Amino acid sequence: MTPRDPADTLATTMSVLLRDHDVTGLLYRVVRDATRLTGSDAAGLLVRGPSGGRSS
C-alpha cells in the first residue's frame, strides 16, 4: 500500500509496531514513505546505540 498522506504513514507504522514486526523492514518503509511524502530525492536515519555512539 502506498501512503496517501502523513496520517496514512503514521497509521501504517503504528499498526506494524503493535504486532510482531521486522525492525529493518519497518525502518525501510518509514524512510521510503517519508521520502515520497516530502518529494525528496533521498532520506536516511541516524542510529545511536546504547553506548551513545561511542565505540569501546
Side-chain angles (χ1 to χ4, degrees):
M1 176 176 111
T2 301
R4 294 181 303 265
D5 58 39
D8 286 340
T9 299
L10 181 59
T12 301
T13 302
M14 293 309 295
S15 173
V16 170
L17 286 172
L18 293 174
R19 8 168 233 205
D20 292 333
H21 60 278
D22 165 32
V23 174
T24 303
L26 171 63
L27 293 175
Y28 166 76
R29 285 192 301 274
V30 169
V31 171
R32 179 199 63 199
D33 292 348
T35 302
R36 289 178 180 170
L37 289 168
T38 61
S40 301
D41 292 327
L45 290 175
L46 295 175
V47 180
R48 186 171 122 177
S51 66
R54 297 180 192 94
S55 59
S56 299

